[in-house]
Amino acid sequence: MYTYKYPRPALTVDALVYTNENGVPFILLVRRGIEPFKDRWALPGGFVNMDELLVTACMRELEEETGLKVKEMSQFKAFDAVDRDPRHRTISVVFSAQLPGKAEVKGGDDAARAEWYRLDDLPEMAFDHREIIEEFFSQ
């Protein structure tokens, strides 16, 4: 095991999965089952394991939290605001996937629920996830 003189930030991934239904954009969200932000909605995601690639971690977290399997995702951007996670310094790399329609999803792992939300009617969100979504769809 390595020990370091300087603290290291934690690395996470978040999955921004979306679709359009009759011209209306929908995004997949999970309701957090644990603190911080218990019962608020968030993008599916979590911590990267030491032995996995970022995209692999994102697809794993997506499946664990929603039951949804995707074959590929595209890297969008890293979000690194110092105070984005109240637990500690966390940097998240966001990946996206567009689906042809709303897939069946269910909450799992530390996600109490998983649901599709209209982009123009998002619930109260955890972390900086609303800002991530807004930035992604404004490009």
Side-chain angles (χ1 to χ4, degrees):
M1 186 77 176
Y2 294 102
T3 57
Y4 297 98
K5 181 178 177 181
Y6 302 102
R8 301 286 192 259
L11 183 60
T12 62
V13 288
D14 288 304
L16 199 155
V17 180
Y18 64 101
T19 190
N20 284 294
E21 193 171 86
N22 299 320
V24 177
F26 285 84
I27 188 161
L28 179 58
L29 300 176
V30 294
R31 188 170 191 179
R32 290 184 53 80
I34 61 171
E35 294 293 347
F37 302 111
K38 184 178 179 185
D39 295 327
R40 286 200 192 166
W41 293 86
L43 296 169
F47 292 95
V48 177
N49 292 330
M50 292 299 288
D51 63 345
E52 64 186 347
L53 298 174
L54 294 174
V55 69
T56 305
C58 197
M59 291 189 291
R60 173 185 54 78
E61 285 287 345
L62 177 64
E63 184 178 358
E64 287 175 1
E65 293 188 351
T66 70
L68 181 63
K69 290 183 185 183
V70 296
K71 293 186 188 228
E72 60 183 87
M73 301 188 85
S74 299
Q75 186 172 322
F76 169 51
K77 182 179 173 180
F79 288 82
D80 64 349
V82 173
D83 61 351
R84 64 179 304 276
D85 187 326
R87 295 170 290 193
H88 45 71
R89 177 82 164 102
T90 304
I91 297 168
S92 184
V93 180
V94 178
F95 290 82
S96 69
Q98 183 175 9
L99 302 183
K102 287 192 268 182
E104 186 175 325
V105 293
K106 64 182 183 333
D109 194 27
D110 56 356
R113 289 172 53 195
E115 289 185 25
W116 292 95
Y117 274 88
R118 286 175 59 119
L119 188 59
D120 64 358
D121 191 25
L122 296 176
E124 187 173 0
M125 304 214 41
F127 306 105
D128 56 354
H129 291 191
R130 181 179 299 274
E131 291 81 15
I132 292 170
I133 293 166
E134 288 172 354
E135 185 170 337
F136 180 83
F137 286 101
S138 70
Q139 59 176 344

